[in-house]
C-alpha cells in the first residue's frame, strides 16, 4: 500500500527579550544556576506577574511577518500540571484568545518548488526551568533561570507531507524570526524547539490517521531523522496488522529512534482556566501599525527583489535571502563588483564551500565582501581568468589579504599583451611543424592543441580570448 | 450534575491532594452541589453576551523590558529544604 505522511509542527521560539515575560529577571543565557530566578519566577506566594511589553511587541511582529490576524483582545490562561521545574504548578499560556491567529508561510524545497503551509495560531507562554538528572545524592537538581522566559508557540496546520517539508518549514520559521529579530534562533541553546505531530494514511484517504507527538527534536537534522523513523515505525506497525495509539514519543538522537514516554497523568487533563492574575491584553490599531513600520524587508520580499533587481534565479534568490547575514554579504559583493550573477555564484559556490568546511558563519567569513567583490572586478576587467581567480581566492582565504596583493605576490596577472602572446604563439608554431601541417591540411580539431600549448607556455596566464584570436590569424 | 467517587479521586490526584477515604462521600456531595449551581446558571440565555476573561473592568498594564530583579539566590535558597551547587534539589524525577 502507498502511504501518505501528515505532519503538523509546534515550534517554540524563545523571544529575545532582556527580561522574563512576567518578571524583571534577566534572560541572559549561561548564567550560574538560579541567579536569574526571582520571586515571581519561583512562584513565591504574594507575587504577581506583570506582562513584558517587548514580548508582546515581538509576538505581534511575528504575526505581521506571516500575514496573520493579530488578536487585538487576547488573554492568558493557566495550564495546570505538576513538575518540579514548574514551581507554580501551572504554566501561564494562551488557550482561547491567542495573540496571533491564522497566517501562512511559503516554504521552498531543494528542487525549487514552493508550497504554502498554514499557521493555525501562535501564542505567548512562559518557559519552564531545567531539570538536571545527574546524580545529586540520588536527587534531581532544578535550575529555574529559564523559568518565565517568553516563548512564542507557533502551531502549524497539518499541511506538511514529508520530513523534508518539515525541515523546510522549520528553516523558514527560523529565517523569519531571526530576520525580524524576535529571536536569536540559536538551536544549540534551545532558542528554537520543535514537537512534531506525525500520522500516516493510505494515499487518497481524506481522514487523518491516529497521530503521535514526537518531542525533543531540536535541530534541523534531527527533525528529518526523527520524523522518518516515526513514519517507518507507524507503517511497519499498521502493515503488521497493528494500530497506532495516540501518545507522546521522545526522540533519542543517540539511538536514532523514538520511544514511548510514560504518560505523566491522565492525558491532556490540564484543566485550563482564565489566568486571574492577569488582565486581558488590548492592542489598538496604532500599536500594530507602529510594529509594522519597524519590520525590516522580509525574506520573501527580499527574494523577489533579488530576482527582479539582480536577475537571479528563484532558487539562488531564495538561498541568498534566507538569512540577513547572507543577504547583506551578497549585496555588498554585488555592489562592489557590479556583477550580481557572478557575485551570487561566488558566494553560493566557492565561499559557501569554504565556510561549510570550517563550519564558519558568513558573518565571520575569512574573505570580506569588499575583497570578494574586488576579485570579481579583476575577473571582469580581464586582469585574471576565472581559473586563476580560484587560485587567488584560495590565497585570500589563507591570509585574508585583498586580491590585488595576492595577484601581485603570486605573479598571477593574466597576460593580454598581444606582443608577448604573439611571441609565444610563434614559438609554439615553430616547435610543432607536424601539427601545423596537419591543421592547415584541414584537421580543425588540432586548434585546441595549439591553445593548450600556448596556455602552457604562458603558465596559464595568457588571456584565452586573446590567444584564440591571435592563433586564428597566425595559423 | 453529580460526580461519582472515581471522578473526585481523579481530581484529587491531579491536584496532588491526599484525601481521607472516609471524607470522599462528603467531597462528592459538596462538589456536586457546586456543579448543580453551574447547571442552574447554564440555563440562562447568554447569547449576545461577550465572554468575560476577567471581572475587573480594566486592561493589562505593560512593563518596560528592563532588568529590575538582581540575584537573590542565597536569600531564596536559605528556605529551601535541599540545595547543591546552586541547584534546588528535589526527589528524583525520571521521565
Amino acid at each position: 500500500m502507498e502511504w501518505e505522511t501528515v505532519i503538523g509542527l509546534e515550534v517554540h521560539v524563545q523571544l529575545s527579550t532582556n527580561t522574563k515575560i512576567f518578571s524583571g529577571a534577566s534572560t541572559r543565557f549561561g548564567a550560574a544556576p538560579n541567579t536569574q530566578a526571582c520571586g515571581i519566577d519561583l512562584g513565591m506566594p504574594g507575587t504577581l506577574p506583570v506582562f513584558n511589553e517587548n514580548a508582546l511587541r515581538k509576538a505581534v511582529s511575528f504575526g505581521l511577518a506571516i500575514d496573520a490576524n493579530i488578536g487585538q483582545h487576547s488573554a492568558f490562561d493557566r495550564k495546570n500540571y505538576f513538575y518540579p521545574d514548574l514551581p507554580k504548578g501551572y504554566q501561564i499560556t494562551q488557550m482561547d484568545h491567542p495573540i496571533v491567529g491564522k497566517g501562512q508561510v511559503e516554504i521552498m524545497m531543494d528542487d525549487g518548488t514552493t508550497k504554502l503551509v498554514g499557521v493555525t495560531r501562535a501564542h505567548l507562554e512562559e518557559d519552564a526551568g531545567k531539570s538536571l538528572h545527574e546524580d545529586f545524592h540520588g536527587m534531581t537538581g532544578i535550575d529555574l533561570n529559564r523559568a518565565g522566559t517568553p516563548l512564542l508557540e507557533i502551531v502549524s496546520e497539518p499541511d506538511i507531507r514529508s520530513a523534508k517539508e518539515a525541515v523546510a518549514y522549520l528553516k523558514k520559521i527560523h529565517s523569519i524570526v531571526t530576520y525580524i529579530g524576535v529571536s536569536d534562533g540559536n538551536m544549540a541553546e534551545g532558542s528554537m524547539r520543535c514537537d512534531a505531530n506525525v500520522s500516516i494514511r493510505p494515499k487518497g484517504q481524506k481522514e487523518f490517521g491516529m497521530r503521535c507527538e514526537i518531542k525533543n527534536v531540536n535541530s534541523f537534522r534531527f527533525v528529518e531523522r526523527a520524523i522518518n523513523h516515526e513514519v517507518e515505525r507507524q507503517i511497519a506497525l499498521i502493515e503488521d496488522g497493528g494500530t497506532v495509539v495516540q501518545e507522546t514519543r521522545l526522540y533519542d538522537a543517540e539511538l536514532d529512534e523514538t520511544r514511548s514516554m510514560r504518560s505523566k497523568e491522565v492525558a491532556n487533563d490540564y484543566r485550563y482556566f482564565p489566568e486571574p492574575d492577569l488582565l486581558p491584553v488590548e492592542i489598538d490599531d496604532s500599536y500594530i501599525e507602529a510594529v509594522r513600520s519597524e519590520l525590516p524587508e522580509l525574506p520573501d520580499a527580499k527574494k523577489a527583489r533579488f530576482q527582479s533587481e539582480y536577475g537571479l534565479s528563484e532558487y539562488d534568490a531564495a538561498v541568498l535571502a534566507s538569512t540577513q547575514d547572507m543577504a547583506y554579504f551578497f549585496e555588498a559583493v554585488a555592489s562592489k563588483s557590479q556583477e550580481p550573477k557572478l557575485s551570487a555564484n561566488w558566494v553560493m559556490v566557492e565561499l559557501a564551500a569554504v565556510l561549510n568546511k570550517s563550519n564558519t558563519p558568513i558573518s565571520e567569513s575569512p574573505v570580506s565582501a569588499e575583497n570578494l567583490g574586488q576579485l570579481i572586478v579583476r575577473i571582469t576587467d580581464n586582469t585574471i581568468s576565472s581559473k586563476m581567480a580560484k587560485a587567488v581566492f584560495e590565497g585570500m582565504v589563507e591570509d585574508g589579504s585583498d586580491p590585488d596583493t595576492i595577484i601581485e605576490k603570486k605573479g598571477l596577472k593574466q597576460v593580454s599583451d598581444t606582443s608577448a602572446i604573439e611571441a609565444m604563439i610563434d614559438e609554439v608554431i615553430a616547435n610543432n611543424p607536424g601539427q601545423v601541417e596537419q591543421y592547415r591540411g584541414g584537421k580543425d580539431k588540432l586548434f585546441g592543441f595549439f591553445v593548450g600549448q600556448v596556455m602552457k607556455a604562458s603558465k596559464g596566464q595568457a588571456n584565452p580570448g586573446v590567444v584564440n584570436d591571435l592563433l586564428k590569424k597566425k595559423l | 450534575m453529580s460526580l461519582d467517587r472515581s471522578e473526585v479521586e481523579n481530581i484529587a490526584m491531579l491536584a496532588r491532594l491526599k484525601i481521607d477515604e472516609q471524607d470522599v462521600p462528603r467531597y462528592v456531595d459538596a462538589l456536586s452541589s457546586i456543579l448543580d449551581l453551574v447547571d442552574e446558571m447554564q440555563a440562562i440565555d447568554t447569547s449576545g453576551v461577550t465572554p468575560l476573561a476577567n471581572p475587573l473592568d480594566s486592561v493589562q498594564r505593560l512593563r518596560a523590558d528592563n532588568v529590575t530583579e538582581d540575584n537573590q539566590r542565597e536569600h531564596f535558597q536559605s528556605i529551601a529544604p535541599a540545595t547543591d551547587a546552586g541547584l534546588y534539589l528535589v526527589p528524583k524525577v525520571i521521565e
Side-chain angles (χ1 to χ4, degrees), chain A residues 22-220:
Chain A
F22 299 121
S23 84
S26 172
T27 53
R28 193 170 52 87
F29 183 82
N34 292 307
T35 54
Q36 293 177 171
C38 72
I40 293 173
D41 308 324
L42 296 179
M44 286 291 174
T47 59
L48 282 172
V50 188
F51 187 25
N52 181 345
E53 189 273 336
N54 198 17
L56 173 67
R57 179 173 294 265
K58 286 175 188 294
V60 170
S61 176
F62 175 78
L64 294 173
I66 61 161
D67 205 18
N69 303 317
I70 303 302
Q72 293 190 255
H73 315 280
S74 73
F76 289 101
D77 299 279
R78 282 190 186 180
K79 177 181 180 177
N80 298 280
Y81 67 93
F82 285 103
Y83 207 73
D85 58 21
L86 187 78
K88 295 194 299 298
Y90 58 85
Q91 178 193 33
I92 303 180
T93 179
Q94 297 188 302
M95 180 68 172
D96 294 324
H97 304 286
I99 186 78
V100 175
K102 264 190 186 311
Q104 59 184 27
V105 297
E106 188 184 81
I107 60 168
M108 181 179 263
M109 309 306 296
D110 286 341
D111 64 4
T113 54
T114 58
K115 170 175 178 163
L116 283 177
V117 174
V119 170
T120 316
R121 58 184 281 161
H123 59 259
L124 281 163
E125 61 186 28
E126 57 180 341
D127 206 345
K130 266 185 189 157
S131 303
L132 295 117
H133 301 294
E134 296 98 69
D135 195 27
F136 293 102
H137 325 290
M139 300 179 88
T140 292
I142 305 290
D143 177 6
L144 294 168
N145 279 350
R146 203 180 63 184
T149 298
L151 297 178
L152 188 66
E153 179 175 337
I154 303 159
V155 182
S156 88
E157 293 283 310
D159 288 346
I160 299 164
R161 291 289 172 270
S162 69
K164 283 206 168 0
E165 284 186 14
V167 173
Y169 170 81
L170 208 56
K171 283 188 172 165
K172 190 55 180 278
I173 295 290
H174 185 265
S175 166
I176 293 170
V177 298
T178 51
Y179 247 79
I180 62 178
V182 303
S183 175
D184 62 21
N186 188 330
M187 295 182 90
E189 291 176 3
S191 297
M192 222 172 115
R193 309 196 288 271
C194 177
D195 300 337
N197 287 302
V198 179
S199 66
I200 57 165
R201 62 181 173 191
K203 210 163 181 134
Q205 179 180 306
K206 278 225 169 83
E207 301 79 41
F208 292 128
M210 188 57 80
R211 65 186 160 88
C212 288
E213 181 178 14
I214 320 172
K215 294 228 176 242
N216 201 27
V217 278
N218 297 331
S219 77
F220 296 131

Side-chain angles (χ1 to χ4, degrees), chain A residues 18-20 23-24 33-34 39 50-54 82 133 136 139-142 262 265 269 279-280 282, chain B residues 14-16 54 59-60 62-63 65-69 71 73 76 84 86-90 92-95:
Chain A
N18 299 320
T19 63
K20 307 282 176 78
S23 84
N34 292 307
V50 188
F51 187 25
N52 181 345
E53 189 273 336
N54 198 17
F82 285 103
H133 301 294
F136 293 102
M139 300 179 88
T140 292
I142 305 290
R262 194 163 52 84
E265 35 193 66
D269 202 345
L279 291 160
E282 298 285 329
Chain B
L14 287 171
R16 298 295 187 276
N54 193 292
V59 295
Q60 180 60 39
L62 302 172
R63 174 176 62 78
D65 187 22
N66 301 322
V67 176
T68 54
E69 303 296 319
N71 175 19
R73 185 173 78 184
F76 288 127
D84 186 21
L87 299 163
Y88 293 93
L89 298 187
V90 299
K92 197 160 192 123
V93 275
I94 291 288
E95 192 48 63

Side-chain angles (χ1 to χ4, degrees), chain A residues 415-426 454 462-463 466-467 470:
Chain A
V415 179
S416 302
D417 169 19
T418 46
S419 60
I421 294 175
E422 269 182 64
M424 288 183 238
I425 290 175
D426 290 342
V454 177
N463 181 330
V466 177
V467 172
L470 290 176

